[in-house]
Amino acid sequence: AVRWLFVGFCLYERGFTMAAISQADATAMPSPKHTIEVESDNDRSTAEGSSDAVSVVRRLVEIPHEQGLENITMLLEQDMLNRYQAKKPELNFLLQSERAFAKLVGMKYACALNSGGIAISLGLEAMKRVLFSDDAFDKMRVYSNAFTFHAVPSACVVAGFAETLKLIEATEELVLDLDHLEECIKEDLASGRFAKGKMILVLSYMRGRVPDMHRVLELCSRYKMQLLEDSAHGYGCSFDGRMCGSFGVVSTISSQANKLVNTGEGGMVFTNNDEMQAFFIFSAGSYEELWRKHEELAPPEDVCLKYKCTVANKSVRMTNLQAALMVPQINVMQERIDHHNAMYYYLAGRTSAKFEELCGEGSSKRMVFVPQAHKLVGPVYESLHLRIMKDDGTAAQEELPALSSFLKMMQERKYSIAKF
């Protein structure tokens, strides 16, 4: 049944040109509830420019692109495309990226991979091996969001949990329904098929939407459930001052095209657990003594030797080429976050005002911008989400007749807009 009708409008693909926000406009918007410090050795990425929208494009898009191309040229000239070929620290962009993101997220270890999907899959495999080594797959329940991208449940299936994956409904704020989650947990326990301590929650921050993490952790504690955070859209977000991606045993990000940091394809997996990091390094494709090139991001030698010859090499490393594109973007990531949030507040306000102007007083009630689920969320708005209402301002239970033609018109104009 259709409970809500949403329109999503992506801020990434046209994120720095779709609205001309001056410095005065941006500073008038509510400021983010959190800050992120990422070390930068490149002064060009933070050079002050003029206060108009063109300077924003230059500073946050064009300069990082140019620096990325320069980095790639250096790698091609010196044949350092593979992470283990990077003999010069200044050209080891993978290690630079992993260090920066581990610090950002607040985790001890990071391992760069070729997709966010494989990051989730390896995360689950590592949790199974390290935390549930004696448990059969059919005795372990995995819960995850029903409202998420296909890659998330697919990763659970790839990791071996196809038969025990259970998807949880979303709330009107587009986050995991924690009431439904607890209902499902109680039903599973009552059935006798699953037990406390044999459960994993793969929590996807779909579209940067973060649930009440205090309650998530309370449920994990009450039912002895392990947490894996999929921060594909949620890196940079926080809850009650704590960075998303730091709550779970494992967390992941994606750097695929429509993300805050874009390397075309790519991802990372994070943990504080020595054995899991060893599993990630060797699963990703380390062999012989190459694990030592991960430097301080490699676990102790005895742990590495334990996993070196007992883990299948899946050859899913991120290339140094992708990381060469990533580093300049990390250097301006906080400013990108600030600008995305400023655009969101600007566009939400501007759209409502324009609706009133064109369609008459009170008409803006037909378009409700979906809020964050909790006041303690420090947001990173990567898209606009609208709930389309009926004339009287109540929820539409059926698709509005003109919606599809409107979306088609917008898509023909090359805007990333869709209904869901």
Side-chain angles (χ1 to χ4, degrees):
V2 177
R3 289 191 287 170
W4 319 289
L5 190 58
F6 299 106
V7 175
F9 190 74
C10 184
L11 291 176
Y12 282 148
E13 292 188 10
R14 301 175 63 88
F16 303 101
T17 57
M18 63 184 290
I21 304 177
S22 69
Q23 187 69 26
D25 291 327
T27 55
M29 303 303 143
S31 61
K33 297 180 181 179
H34 66 290
T35 58
I36 301 170
E37 294 184 2
V38 180
E39 292 184 0
S40 171
D41 294 326
N42 199 325
D43 293 333
R44 291 175 298 173
S45 64
T46 57
E48 294 184 2
S50 61
S51 61
D52 57 26
V54 175
S55 70
V56 173
V57 175
R58 179 69 186 152
R59 191 167 63 251
L60 302 186
V61 180
E62 293 176 356
I63 290 176
H65 285 179
E66 291 166 5
Q67 293 170 355
L69 288 172
E70 291 175 8
N71 292 342
I72 287 174
T73 299
M74 288 188 290
L75 293 179
L76 290 170
E77 290 174 347
Q78 301 198 39
D79 192 22
M80 296 186 183
L81 312 187
N82 179 285
R83 75 169 300 149
Y84 298 126
Q85 291 177 316
K87 300 175 179 64
K88 297 180 178 180
E90 66 273 18
L91 295 184
N92 192 336
F93 297 111
L94 273 162
L95 202 52
Q96 293 175 39
S97 298
E98 289 168 336
R99 285 169 174 154
F101 262 112
K103 180 178 179 180
L104 165 71
V105 174
M107 297 288 258
K108 181 179 179 180
Y109 295 122
C111 186
L113 304 167
N114 62 14
S115 76
I118 198 65
I120 298 170
S121 180
L122 289 188
L124 283 169
E125 290 182 40
M127 294 170 76
K128 172 66 175 69
R129 174 156 176 164
V130 175
L131 304 178
F132 303 99
S133 59
D134 296 329
D135 297 301
F137 280 95
D138 63 357
K139 297 299 182 182
M140 294 180 58
R141 172 64 91 187
V142 173
Y143 303 103
S144 191
N145 308 53
F147 176 59
T148 189
F149 281 110
H150 185 245
V152 178
S154 296
C156 299
V157 171
V158 169
F161 295 101
E163 301 303 319
T164 61
L165 173 63
K166 188 174 186 65
L167 301 181
I168 306 300
E169 290 293 342
T171 70
E172 291 192 15
E173 292 81 22
L174 308 181
V175 300
L176 191 79
D177 188 329
L178 299 179
D179 290 334
H180 185 226
L181 172 61
E182 187 163 25
E183 288 174 12
C184 292
I185 292 173
K186 290 178 177 178
E187 289 174 3
D188 284 339
L189 294 176
S191 73
R193 183 181 175 190
F194 301 103
K196 282 186 180 181
K198 310 298 180 185
M199 299 173 174
I200 298 174
L201 172 60
V202 178
L203 177 60
S204 175
Y205 301 126
M206 175 65 170
R207 292 299 185 191
R209 299 288 169 160
V210 181
D212 182 347
M213 294 305 295
H214 291 325
R215 188 172 177 207
V216 169
L217 295 183
E218 188 272 327
L219 290 174
C220 288
S221 176
R222 182 186 306 171
Y223 298 105
K224 298 180 181 178
M225 179 169 58
Q226 299 293 337
L227 175 62
L228 185 155
E229 298 172 85
D230 167 31
S231 301
H233 294 99
Y235 51 93
C237 292
S238 64
F239 186 86
D240 199 10
R242 182 174 174 181
M243 193 63 62
C244 291
S246 67
F247 292 93
V249 178
V250 171
S251 68
T252 67
I253 64 166
S254 170
S255 58
Q256 189 260 353
N258 289 335
K259 304 298 188 299
L260 192 64
V261 172
N262 175 10
T263 61
E265 298 288 350
M268 284 192 195
V269 60
F270 308 95
T271 188
N272 291 322
N273 186 290
D274 292 347
E275 295 207 7
M276 290 188 189
Q277 176 68 352
F279 180 89
F280 297 145
I281 287 173
F282 291 109
S283 293
S286 182
Y287 52 93
E288 298 171 350
E289 298 297 302
L290 294 176
W291 58 270
R292 298 183 188 276
K293 290 181 176 288
H294 290 258
E295 298 186 14
E296 79 279 8
L297 296 183
E301 182 172 0
D302 61 325
V303 179
C304 287
L305 294 179
K306 176 181 175 181
Y307 282 83
K308 178 180 177 181
C309 297
T310 60
V311 174
N313 181 333
K314 292 181 168 62
S315 297
V316 291
R317 298 182 300 268
M318 179 184 283
T319 71
N320 206 24
L321 285 171
Q322 290 164 290
L325 297 175
M326 180 178 284
V327 167
Q329 296 179 73
I330 294 174
N331 292 336
V332 297
M333 185 160 61
Q334 180 57 59
E335 194 174 359
R336 283 187 174 184
I337 289 171
D338 293 343
H339 188 64
H340 271 81
N341 288 345
M343 283 197 299
Y344 175 88
Y345 296 124
Y346 173 85
L347 290 173
R350 178 65 174 157
T351 302
S352 296
K354 201 68 176 176
F355 220 76
E356 295 280 312
E357 176 187 330
L358 295 176
C359 302
E361 184 178 353
S363 59
S364 62
K365 68 183 179 182
R366 294 201 59 194
M367 191 164 43
V368 177
F369 287 86
V370 181
Q372 284 284 350
H374 200 285
K375 64 182 180 181
L376 292 178
V377 175
V380 177
Y381 287 111
E382 57 89 55
S383 52
L384 293 167
H385 300 109
L386 315 176
R387 183 179 291 116
I388 307 300
M389 316 298 277
K390 295 192 296 185
D391 288 335
D392 60 2
T394 60
Q397 296 300 314
E398 297 179 357
E399 184 172 311
L400 303 176
L403 181 62
S404 291
S405 58
F406 167 75
L407 295 179
K408 183 178 180 181
M409 176 189 71
M410 294 294 287
Q411 289 163 356
E412 288 175 348
R413 296 181 181 182
K414 308 303 181 185
Y415 287 96
S416 294
I417 188 170
K419 61 185 177 183
F420 53 92

